[in-house]
């Protein structure tokens, strides 16, 4: 017998401010869902914004200090901090998509995105631990709030959320991570490189979940998949789609060039 809903549990993740509390809430929610201890019910709203710790200081992206390419130890620490912040925000994005939009999809949608959320919590914990080994900590450098800005822009449309967050923002990670891994290896930082490679492998699956549910949502609502994705990206994504694209990893995730090449050709780069 369950007395707590998946929506309540997701809301609790979003309202946990301290990193250790958010990671713990994410893991406990994923475990409870897998064990059948949470009702498949969407009876509470998601907050407009997730809770955040006092640090890091959040700056507009245009005001963020340059962090270099990762050759020096200082540059590598800055890169790891930036990635930790992305993963911290990704925890909220995964649980928000469940609590906000789960009622519109089959139960398998919750299975997939709760799994993504558990992955993101693990990714953050790995990066946070690595930062501490290197004499730093999450929150010791400024960060920006671009991920949640994308969430706010897509808060009323599940297909827009899927189009922008996993299929644009997370797909961008597939494009840039292999070169970052090689820079860390060239600097002799094999441990950090291994963490980034683990994250990269998981993110292929996350982009795949976004693509799968976007396609299923379009089919159920009668939208032509690729044109609707392009329309949503033009409408809701404030950035640009930058080549080069990692076509191989994107293809593994089901995100074919049909989606993004036309935007690049027409000047959205």
């Amino acid at each position: 017998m369950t007395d707590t809903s998946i929506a309540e549990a997701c809301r609790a993740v979003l309202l946990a401010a301290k990193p250790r509390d958010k990671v713990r809430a994410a893991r406990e929610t994923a475990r409870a869902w897998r064990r059948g201890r949470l009702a498949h019910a969407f009876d509470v709203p998601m907050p407009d914004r997730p809770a955040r710790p006092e640090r890091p200081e959040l700056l507009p992206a245009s005001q963020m200090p340059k962090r270099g390419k990762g050759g020096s130890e200082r540059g590598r620490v800055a890169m790891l901090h930036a990635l930790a912040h992305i993963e911290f925000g990704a925890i909220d994005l995964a649980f928000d998509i469940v609590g906000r939009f789960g009622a519109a999809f089959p139960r398998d949608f919750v299975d997939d995105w709760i799994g993504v959320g558990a992955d993101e919590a693990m990714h953050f914990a790995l990066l946070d631990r690595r930062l501490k080994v290197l004499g730093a900590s999450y929150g010791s450098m400024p960060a920006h709030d671009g991920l949640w800005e994308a969430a706010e822009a897509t808060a009323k449309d599940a297909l827009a959320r899927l189009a922008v967050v996993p299929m644009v923002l997370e797909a961008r990670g597939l494009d840039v991570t292999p070169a970052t891994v090689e820079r860390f290896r060239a600097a002799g930082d094999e441990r950090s490189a291994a963490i980034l490679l683990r994250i990269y492998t998981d993110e292929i699956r996350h982009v795949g979940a976004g693509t799968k549910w976007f396609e299923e949502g379009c089919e159920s609502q009668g939208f032509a998949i690729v044109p609707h994705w392009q329309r949503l990206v033009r409408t809701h994504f404030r950035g640009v789609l930058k080549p080069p694209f990692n076509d191989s990893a994107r293809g593994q995730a089901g995100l074919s060039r049909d989606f993004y090449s036309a935007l690049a050709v027409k000047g959205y780069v």
Side-chain angles (χ1 to χ4, degrees), residues 185-214:
R185 283 177 170 164
D189 191 347
E190 288 290 343
R191 180 55 188 151
S192 296
I195 292 170
L196 299 186
L197 190 59
R198 168 63 188 272
I199 292 172
Y200 170 78
T201 301
D202 289 342
E203 297 295 349
I204 293 174
R205 182 162 37 80
H206 299 176
V207 176
T211 304
K212 177 184 81 172
W213 288 110
F214 180 81

Side-chain angles (χ1 to χ4, degrees), residues 171-172 174-176 241-247 250 257 260:
R172 180 60 180 162
L174 302 183
D175 300 335
V176 302
L241 302 185
K242 297 178 181 179
F245 300 114
N246 186 343
D247 294 328
R250 286 168 173 253
R257 286 186 58 83
Y260 53 89

Side-chain angles (χ1 to χ4, degrees), residues 81-100:
H81 188 277
L83 293 172
H85 182 67
I86 289 170
E87 298 298 331
F88 188 70
I91 300 170
D92 289 320
L93 288 168
F95 287 93
D96 183 77
I97 200 171
V98 171
R100 189 176 298 273

Side-chain angles (χ1 to χ4, degrees), residues 149-191:
E149 289 172 1
E152 290 176 331
T154 58
K156 298 185 183 303
D157 186 336
L159 293 181
R161 175 69 63 85
L162 291 164
V164 170
V165 174
M167 298 176 73
V168 172
L169 297 177
E170 288 198 78
R172 180 60 180 162
L174 302 183
D175 300 335
V176 302
T177 299
T180 305
V181 169
E182 290 308 312
R183 286 196 294 270
F184 275 73
R185 283 177 170 164
D189 191 347
E190 288 290 343
R191 180 55 188 151

Side-chain angles (χ1 to χ4, degrees), residues 32-33 42 46 94 100 111 114-116 118 123 125 173 196 205 209 212 223 231 237 259 265 269:
W33 175 254
F42 303 91
M46 295 302 101
R100 189 176 298 273
D111 293 338
I114 290 295
V116 170
H123 296 166
L196 299 186
R205 182 162 37 80
K212 177 184 81 172
F223 293 121
R231 183 162 51 249
F237 181 56
F259 284 93
V265 167
V269 296

